[in-house]
Structures are given as C-alpha cells and as structure tokens.
Amino acid sequence: MQWLSDFWAAYGSLAGLAMVNAVFALACYATLSTGVLSFAPVAFGAVGGILAAQLVLHTTIPLALIVLCGGMAGLGFAMLLAPALLRVEGHWTALATVALVLVTRVVVRNVPALTGGDNGLTVTRPLSMAVPVVTLLCVMLGFRALHHSWYGIASRVVRDDPAVAAGLGINIRQTRLIGFGVSGFAGGLAGVLLVLVQQFVSPDSFYVHVAFVMITGAVIGGSFHWLGPVLGAIAVTLLPALTETLVPDSQDIGSGIALLLALVFLPRGLFDPRVVLLQLSLAQATRTRDPRYERR
Amino acid sequence: MTALVIDGLRKTFGGVKAVRDLSFTIEPGSVTGLMGPNGAGKSTVLDLVCGVTKPDAGSISIFGEDTAGLRADQVTRLGVARTYQVIRLTTGLTAVQQVITGCYLQRETSLLASILQMPWARQRRREIEDIAMYLLDRVGMADRADILAEAMSYGEQRRVEIARALGSNPMLLLLDEPTAGMNVQEADRIGTLIQALRDDGLSILLVEHSMRMVADYCDHAVVMNFGAKITEGPPADCLDDEKVQDAYFGRQRDADSQ
Ligand SMILES: Nc1ncnc2c1ncn2[C@@H]1O[C@H](COP(=O)(O)OP(=O)(O)O)[C@@H](O)[C@H]1O
Ligand SMILES: [Mg+2]
C-alpha cells in the first residue's frame, strides 16, 4: 500500500480539486439543462465558501453540517438572484451572471472582516478525503434523481424548445427557477469543498478561472446528461497536470487545445447517451419499418 | 358549451396582416377544417389560440374561458393541445419518452415525491407509461416505442407528435397540417384516427391544405385567404364555392408572395 500513500501525498490535493470542480460543473449543468447558461455558481460558491470559512474558524460544528450550511446558503442566494437573472432574455442572462462574478470579487475584497480581504483567510481544519468524495457522490445521486423526475422530463423539453414546453403545459419560468435552486445548492457545496480542500480562501478563490473550468467541464464532458460535466471537470482538472509533466511550462495550453478539439470533434461532449441510442434506433428502425407507411 | 369561440381576431406582423377580423366557432365533438392557400394565416390562428402569440384585437374563448392575459402553458391547462406544421419533437428522446413529456399535465405527482421516487410517484409513473404506450398504439406506433424520434420517417414523427398532443388528455385538439408529406394511405389513417378521436368526444381544429382531407373527414369547414375568412359551412358547399376555387387555383401565386 506504499504506492497509494505516495500517490496520495503527491496528487491528493489535485484529486480533491477535481472533485470540487466536478460539483461546480454540475452546478453549471443545473441551469444549462433548463436552457440557461449561467456562471452564477461562482458567486454561489463564494457565499457557501466564505460562510464555511467563518464556521470553521469560529465554531466547532461538525464538517458535514458545515458543508450542508454552505449548500443552503448557496440555495438561498440563488433564489434571491434568480428572479432578477431570469427577467433578462437568453444570452443576456449569461452576461448578467458574468457581471455577477466580477461584482462578487469586488465585494469579497472589500469585506475583510468576513473574507480576510486581499490577504485571504487560512482555514485550518484537518480534512479527510471522505468529505469531498461523499459530497460528490451525494450530489451525483441527487442529479440522477432529478434526471428521472418530472422536473427532469420538463427541463429537457424546456431546453430543447421552450414554446413546445409551454404547449405541453410546462411552466418555463418555474422550471428554470428550480434549475437555479439546484445550481445554488450545488454551487454552495462546491464553494465549501474548495475552501476545505485548499484550506484557504481569498478573492482569487472564486473568480473567472472557476467559471472557465465549469464551462469547459460541461462542454468537454457533455451537457446532455449529468455524468458528462463530472467526467469533463475531472478531465479538465487533471489535464494541465498531465501536460505539465509531459511538456513543462505548457500551462493552460493543454486545456485550451482539449476544449477546441472537443468542440470540433465531440460537439455533444465525451458522454452522450444519445449516440448509442441513435445507433440502436437506426438499426431497429430499418429492421422493423412497416412498408405500409412508406412513402413511394 | 362551445369548444372554441374566435371573435374579431386580428394579428399583424410588421406590415403583414396575417389575420384580419376573423370570427368562427367550433362545436364540441366536431371536426372543423381550417383551409386556405399557403400564407393565408392558418398557423397564425393556431398560435393565437394556444397563447403563443398575442392578438392585436379580438377575443378567444375556450370552453367558456377567455384566454386573454393567459400564458401559453395556462391556455394548455384549459384543455388544449396541438401539433406543429414543422415537426417539433424533443431531440434525444424515444417515441415513448416523447409521449410521456406530453403527459406532463397528468402526472398527479408533487415535485418532491417525484424526485424522492416515493412509491405512489413510481406507481403513477408506471400508469403514465401505460397511457403513453396506449396512445402510441392508437397512432399505430406501439412497435416503435423505444426508437429515437429523429431516427424515424417523417410520417412516423407526425404520428408520434399526435400521440404526444393526446398525452395531456385534451378537450380541444389543434392539428396543423398533420398529413403534409404523407401518401394517400397514410393520410387516410390519420383521417380515420381524427374521426375516432371525435367520436370519443374531442373537438378538433384541423388545419389542412388538402381539399380532399377536409371533404372526407371534417364536419364543418372554414376557409381563409389573406388572413380573412372567405366562407364557412359544410365542407362540400365550401369546396364548390367560387371564392374558394378562386383562392386555391386563381390567385394562389398572390397569396404565396404575400
Ligand atoms: N412570426 C412571424 N413573423 C412575421 N410574419 C409572420 C410570422 N408568422 C407568420 N407570418 C406571416 O403571416 C402570414 C400567414 O402565415 P401563416 O399563418 O403561417 O400561414 P399558413 O399557415 O396559412 O400558411 C404569412 O404571410 C407569414 O409570412
Ligand atoms: Mg401553416
């Protein structure tokens, strides 16, 4: 088992970060699956993460409870913002959330009592790897349940064609509000995990790089099933480390190239259940096609 | 109660008067054919009835309820369902999944119960799956339930779309050229289905370009041209009407270019 602890010493924090990013990517997927591109999980994460930092520093609440509090704080913040964000149309929502990310940083810098300001806060609480692992698994189970629920069914139609969804009696706004709620909860959890894994929080913790990882994770992994963003975020986190060992000082070039390749060759991402389904369907369609219905 | 009352309906897109002062009613349990050359404004009427677009003037009432100020999903809840002239099925869903999305209003399950997969929620979902299979069977698609809609032929997709529209158990069904691009046999099967649905008590507005479909399967016909009603009455009388003949064969090109 020596190799395992060696591996853990060398790559433990990277594995932790991969799980954090997976939860962030799921938070992004939550609104994306209702047809809304939003970078707001960065701000939801900041709220959850900073609350967690304060709870760790000033209380002795068990970690599991702190994680949950962060999620609830993200959810609350999301429900506060969602009505305003959904007032603007389509692409403007995305732009409004970009503005939100920028505003978040300004606020975090200027409330040093809570956030440590530019110097940041060191958050020391020994962290077992079980915390991010269990949190990620729970979030994945949650997304699986959502996927199979009536909300999941409604969101697929809303994303594909809002007018058709309305024609089926689906309330578009309500569906998207739920999407934001899920995004807020997952974003809050991701923020807590980020603070706990890095044992540090500063204005740089929650900034555009998180948004970049989130969106590349969803694009590379695939945004048509919850498993896609998880795989994508893990890949996007591990890729720079990998390219760094192969090509020193290559920095983010690796993920940039991976994003471009994914966009060109896998427009629906690494994981897309439709690919298999389509092959099966085409095979079955030609086998069972009823000649009576064929156009001549 | 009258299924649909349209009174003085008007809609303009930019300079195009798509619907002008249109009035007609649909009796419950009847099939009304809405005819007219391309660009006459038939699809716009459906959009207005469904609440997708708002009229500039006039009123629409569905089973006695005025739809003014209602969102499209609220209009749907009055018991309206529709299909589209250009097929609009959801990408990545199989035929049975498409119909299940249509059953959304029949889910009878709270959000929480659905997410937590409570026993009664699972039970209801199984019932919904049975309903969806039954509806696919009605349109003759039961054997293709697990095939992705986008892998199907055009006519098959149209039939899945009709099954999806039936999923909400509507009282008023709006069909926008359901037989476009179908051969005669296929169209006749749709016609037979429409009459069977009417015999079950549904009120149907059938937008049709084809005179034959209206003559064979409708109880009543309304003919439009340039956004206005030119005549209405029993299908056979309408088709013989000089104004209708003129609209279809005389001034077709004008209507297309408008
Ligand atoms: N959303 C729209 N924007 C602008 N013009 C439209 C729109 N919808 C329909 N029209 C115009 O209104 C007229 C009627 O169209 P439509 O209702 O689709 O006719 P039909 O279904 O009878 O063929 C056409 O001239 C069409 O170009
Ligand atoms: Mg039309």
Side-chain angles (χ1 to χ4, degrees), chain A residues 21-32 36 38 40-42 44 139 143 179-180 182-188 190 214 229:
Chain A
N21 288 338
V23 181
F24 265 123
L26 280 171
C28 184
Y29 167 79
T31 55
L32 205 55
V36 178
S38 148
V42 178
F44 306 150
V139 172
F143 273 83
F180 261 104
V182 175
S183 178
F185 190 72
M214 236 167 40

Side-chain angles (χ1 to χ4, degrees), chain B residues 13 16 18 37-44 85 258:
Chain B
F13 293 111
V16 182
N38 277 327
K42 307 178 297 291
S43 299
T44 306
Q85 183 174 355
Q258 218 216 347

